[in-house]
Amino acid sequence: MAGMTALQAAALWSGLLVLLMVGLAFRVIANRRRHRVLFGDGGVPQMTVAARAFGNAAEYIPVGIAVLILLALLETPVLTIHLVAGVFLLGRLIHGLGLSHGAGPGPGRMIGMSLTVLALLAAAILLVVAAFAR
């Protein structure tokens, strides 16, 4: 990762985030096949959980990718992009795993969302500061 530009760092983490979404999508597809559900959740709890894990990722990951690209375009230091993106990806992974292990609030979901929000908040502050720094 040494010598990486800000845009390359954003591309790396964006690619990893998209791979996470693809993995969650495959879980939905596998559950649809296993439980023979063509539409919705078919009243199958595992289907509901898989669909919500993907849906939640689909709600947050595009925003995460957008802020990474903006940070890169504003020439944010590469280490900062790695830190924000690493916390964000870790939060999304932990949340997805936590959601997969039950519908109720559990430590995985709470930690995952906390890390996700922390990363987005840090990115938002960096973007606002950068907007006035030029």
Side-chain angles (χ1 to χ4, degrees):
M1 290 199 276
M4 190 176 274
T5 67
L7 203 51
Q8 287 173 314
L12 168 69
W13 291 102
S14 295
L16 293 172
L17 288 162
V18 170
L19 288 173
L20 173 59
M21 284 192 67
V22 169
L24 292 170
F26 279 138
R27 282 189 33 206
V28 173
I29 294 166
N31 272 287
R32 287 195 182 287
R33 287 184 177 163
R34 183 179 313 116
H35 301 291
R36 296 185 177 154
V37 175
L38 297 177
F39 186 77
D41 65 12
V44 178
Q46 296 91 337
M47 199 55 240
T48 303
V49 170
R52 274 315 307 144
F54 175 79
N56 190 276
E59 293 163 0
Y60 284 93
I61 288 177
V63 174
I65 291 172
V67 298
L68 292 175
I69 292 168
L70 287 170
L71 289 171
L73 291 173
L74 290 168
E75 299 175 357
T76 302
V78 175
L79 180 60
T80 302
I81 292 173
H82 285 307
L83 288 172
V84 169
V87 170
F88 186 74
L89 178 62
L90 184 62
R92 295 289 73 218
L93 283 168
I94 292 172
H95 184 270
L97 290 171
L99 188 59
S100 298
H101 290 78
R109 289 179 69 188
M110 293 182 345
I111 292 168
M113 276 312 301
S114 296
L115 292 173
T116 296
V117 170
L118 176 67
L120 290 176
L121 183 60
I125 291 168
L126 289 166
L127 289 171
V128 170
V129 168
F132 290 104
R134 298 200 176 230

